[in-house]
Amino acid sequence: MARGKIEIRDPVHVFVELDDAEKELLDCRPFQRLRHINQLALSYLVYPGATHRRFEHSLGVMELATRIFDVVVDDRNIAHQSVRELVDMSPVERSYWKMVLRMAALCHDLGHLPFSHASEELLPEGWMLYEPRPEHQRVNADAARQIAAAAVERYGPDAVRFDSYDPEQTPFDFPVQTRDGAISSSTELSDVLAQVPVARFQRVYLDCQYLEDAKRWLKTDTESLIAPPSDAAGD
């Protein structure tokens, strides 16, 4: 084991290795808090074995993220020139981005609520004004964007935020090394992954001082607000 490194015994990965900076994060109070948050919320009350915590989960995420990074940037696994250009980094850059990835993986659950996701229903509504419903998206795929634009006109640009995640391809398309050593696309090897629909997330947030008025407005005018532009023009 290299100097400045420590190893933590892990029931899944055998050993998880951390450097000094990662150990410093591991020892801090917010991370130690994860020792007391069950990964599967209250499931352990039904399944006695479901007792692992977000502490060891975060260590495992870091370990797996590191293994994936090492496979993806390994020259022997890169078949396409476009991918080679994307990961063409100096050893210093590669080491830096690997460190960033490991830290991000280690930190990804730091803000988690007690009782995992089981307590999310107790949270206040916050600032979210609108999240597209399936029936609205069947009418207009850009319903959220239109509502955001209408909210900007009504309440001003500083009071409205529109968040959109609209990937061009399925996130399940990743490189897979087959038994003969070749690298292939996961969606070429699996009909199931190829047919997974692309998830699209859109949300409209509003300054909380306008939220109650906006909800009444939205409840009254939803149909006209989400109407496709051609339909609205016809009206």
Side-chain angles (χ1 to χ4, degrees), residues 10-193:
D10 185 89
V12 176
H13 306 296
V14 186
F15 285 105
V16 174
E17 190 176 271
L18 297 92
D19 63 22
D20 287 338
E22 293 159 355
K23 181 181 180 298
E24 187 174 351
L25 171 63
L26 192 78
D27 289 340
C28 76
R29 189 171 180 177
F31 198 93
Q32 289 294 316
R33 168 182 171 271
L34 299 180
R35 289 183 181 273
H36 310 290
I37 302 178
N38 281 39
Q39 177 72 18
L40 299 178
L42 303 175
S43 298
Y44 70 95
L45 297 174
V46 180
Y47 304 100
T51 56
H52 62 290
R53 312 300 174 96
R54 291 195 176 268
F55 179 89
E56 54 264 37
H57 162 73
S58 296
L59 290 171
V61 170
M62 182 186 69
E63 174 66 19
L64 288 180
T66 303
R67 295 184 191 184
I68 293 170
F69 180 91
D70 289 341
V71 170
V72 168
V73 302
D74 190 326
D75 290 338
R76 295 170 296 179
N77 297 331
I78 301 175
H80 301 285
Q81 183 59 29
S82 60
V83 178
R84 191 176 300 279
E85 292 172 358
L86 185 65
V87 298
D88 183 21
M89 297 178 282
S90 69
V92 173
E93 289 177 310
R94 187 167 295 187
S95 176
Y96 169 78
W97 286 113
K98 185 174 180 177
M99 176 188 68
V100 169
L101 176 67
R102 285 174 60 86
M103 278 293 189
L106 202 57
C107 290
H108 82 278
D109 263 351
L110 281 184
H112 221 291
L113 294 171
F115 307 106
S116 281
H117 296 287
S119 56
E120 289 178 351
E121 294 183 2
L122 302 177
L123 288 173
E125 291 189 22
W127 291 20
M128 190 169 72
L129 172 63
Y130 178 77
E131 182 177 15
R133 299 175 182 175
E135 60 268 26
H136 292 174
Q137 291 187 306
R138 284 193 288 269
V139 173
N140 184 356
D142 281 327
R145 194 180 301 275
Q146 286 188 192
I147 287 177
V152 167
E153 289 185 13
R154 187 178 178 95
Y155 300 105
D158 293 337
V160 182
R161 191 182 87 196
F162 175 63
D163 287 352
S164 177
Y165 173 68
D166 193 7
E168 296 180 357
Q169 62 183 27
T170 172
F172 297 102
D173 186 10
F174 51 84
V176 176
Q177 185 172 19
T178 55
R179 291 180 179 178
D180 60 1
I183 302 297
S184 301
S185 165
S186 60
T187 54
E188 294 175 359
L189 298 174
S190 170
D191 291 338
V192 174
L193 291 179

